[in-house]
Amino acid sequence: MLEPELYKIRSVSACMGCAYHLFTDNFKKIFRRMWLPILVTSLCMGVAMLMAQNMERIQLAGSGMYSPELMMAMGEYSLVQLICLIPALWTGGRLLGLLNDRTTGWNVRRLIKSYVLVIVAMIVVELVFFLIGMAVGGALTATAFLSLGFLVIFVASVPLIYSWMKYFMDPDMRLGMLFGKAYKAGWRHWGFLFGLFCLVALIMVVICVILFLPAMGLETAAQANAAGMLGGDASGLPAAFGVLTYVVFACTYFILYFVEIWMTFNMYYGYGSVEAREHGDDVEREVLDDGAAPFDGRRIEEGGYSSEPKNDFEEIR
């Protein structure tokens, strides 16, 4: 059934306001449920960032692209990134469980299937543009066509905001509908979804710049020290610099992942607004103000509202 507080036609600013209220009003609940998977993911990402720094230092030292030392460092970095996928999927599964009242395992399985489908689709699109470029004018033209392919992928990915979220909210939706009926519905509201995405992305960029300032400062110091050592100078970094860098990166990602929860909530309300537009005959049409209350978690049943929560939030308005 459609929930009255989620499935209403909202403006972009109203969706963002509802997402903010949902996040702040239920922050204690969110933190209790999400801190452990986010912590594990952040610790893994901290290790990955240290390995990325190590690769940069090896390249700065003049090692060739295919030197054994650099290849080993790249292999270790790739392995850690793959390991990071495990807690990242755990985090995503738990987060979606807050919204659809499904188990973490159920959400993780859908995450894996949807990610694989989207990645394969992107590879196919890029391959098609590459082959067209090679057929038209060779390697240089193929490179230009790859850039055009990225632009096409970006434009075509906007409707996925709706179809991807619907895939997790509707247990009866099949994987193929990501690019089927639900995807077509997303195209009909491309402008709304694009506006929501751009505003949220702009805010996320500002937040990321602020969050990563300490990490970027440490990275700049490490590169300057490595350059000085190439000139014969002794290392000027303290012995605990590596530990400090790891802690800063881990803390930065820990905060960032909680901010990304708010970003997901924006997509959640964007989905609800599009769903309301698509089912205008079944849903009360009401444009909410920016300060509108978020989805209160109640279900519609034949006898009226049910007190059984639709999602995992306990604080019901």
Side-chain angles (χ1 to χ4, degrees):
M1 291 294 181
L2 300 179
E3 290 77 16
E5 295 300 321
L6 170 62
Y7 297 101
K8 284 186 178 180
I9 298 177
R10 293 176 168 89
S11 65
V12 169
S13 59
C15 288
M16 296 175 67
C18 288
Y20 172 78
H21 285 296
L22 184 65
F23 181 77
T24 55
D25 294 347
N26 297 278
F27 183 76
K28 290 182 179 179
K29 172 74 174 179
I30 294 170
F31 189 86
R32 286 197 303 266
R33 184 171 175 85
M34 299 300 301
W35 75 268
L36 182 56
I38 286 180
L39 176 62
V40 175
T41 307
S42 302
L43 294 177
C44 289
M45 288 301 300
V47 174
M49 292 300 101
L50 286 181
M51 292 187 169
Q53 281 188 340
N54 185 46
M55 287 192 299
E56 292 177 358
R57 284 193 288 269
I58 293 174
Q59 289 177 316
L60 190 61
S63 299
M65 182 62 187
Y66 300 102
S67 66
E69 187 179 8
L70 182 58
M71 294 298 292
M72 178 65 72
M74 292 176 64
E76 293 173 349
Y77 175 75
S78 300
L79 178 61
V80 172
Q81 286 285 16
L82 288 174
I83 294 175
C84 287
L85 287 176
I86 298 174
L89 288 170
W90 180 22
T91 301
R94 278 210 167 184
L95 171 58
L96 290 166
L98 289 171
L99 301 175
N100 61 11
D101 200 29
R102 297 283 170 174
T103 64
T104 300
W106 188 90
N107 286 313
V108 167
R109 288 191 294 272
R110 290 214 160 193
L111 276 172
I112 294 174
K113 291 188 288 186
S114 61
Y115 283 159
V116 170
L117 178 62
V118 171
I119 291 172
V120 169
M122 293 172 61
I123 292 174
V124 170
V125 171
E126 282 296 299
L127 181 60
V128 169
F129 274 89
F130 177 77
L131 293 176
I132 293 175
M134 289 294 293
V136 171
L140 291 177
T141 304
T143 302
F145 269 74
L146 282 177
S147 301
L148 180 60
F150 279 118
L151 178 60
V152 170
I153 288 174
F154 171 74
V155 173
S157 296
V158 172
L160 284 173
I161 296 174
Y162 168 73
S163 63
W164 186 84
M165 185 60 72
K166 184 176 177 65
Y167 181 58
F168 289 94
M169 299 302 296
D170 183 0
D172 297 325
M173 179 174 166
R174 299 185 302 274
L175 179 64
M177 291 182 67
L178 274 177
F179 292 101
K181 183 179 179 181
Y183 184 69
K184 294 178 182 177
W187 270 109
R188 288 193 288 270
H189 306 279
W190 189 91
F192 166 75
L193 294 173
F194 178 74
L196 179 61
F197 170 80
C198 285
L199 282 178
V200 173
L202 180 61
I203 294 174
M204 288 297 298
V205 168
V206 174
I207 293 174
C208 285
V209 170
I210 296 173
L211 284 178
F212 279 92
L213 278 176
M216 287 188 291
L218 292 175
E219 175 68 15
T220 301
Q223 290 183 355
N225 182 71
M229 292 178 65
L230 287 177
D233 297 336
S235 175
L237 298 179
F241 184 81
V243 176
L244 175 63
T245 302
Y246 174 75
V247 171
V248 169
F249 270 116
C251 291
T252 299
Y253 277 104
F254 185 82
I255 298 172
L256 178 62
Y257 288 139
F258 273 102
V259 176
E260 288 182 352
I261 293 176
W262 167 80
M263 181 181 69
T264 302
F265 288 171
N266 280 278
M267 303 304 108
Y268 173 67
Y269 279 104
Y271 151 78
S273 181
V274 171
E275 192 78 350
R277 296 166 195 260
E278 286 292 304
H279 301 85
D281 295 334
D282 303 320
V283 180
E284 176 188 1
R285 291 179 173 270
E286 178 181 341
V287 181
L288 298 184
D289 295 328
D290 293 353
F295 167 45
D296 66 1
R298 295 179 294 175
R299 292 176 178 169
I300 297 178
E301 295 185 351
E302 293 182 1
Y305 291 120
S306 169
S307 60
E308 180 184 357
K310 170 63 177 173
N311 55 34
D312 200 24
F313 292 116
E314 295 174 351
E315 296 181 23
I316 296 177
R317 286 182 171 268

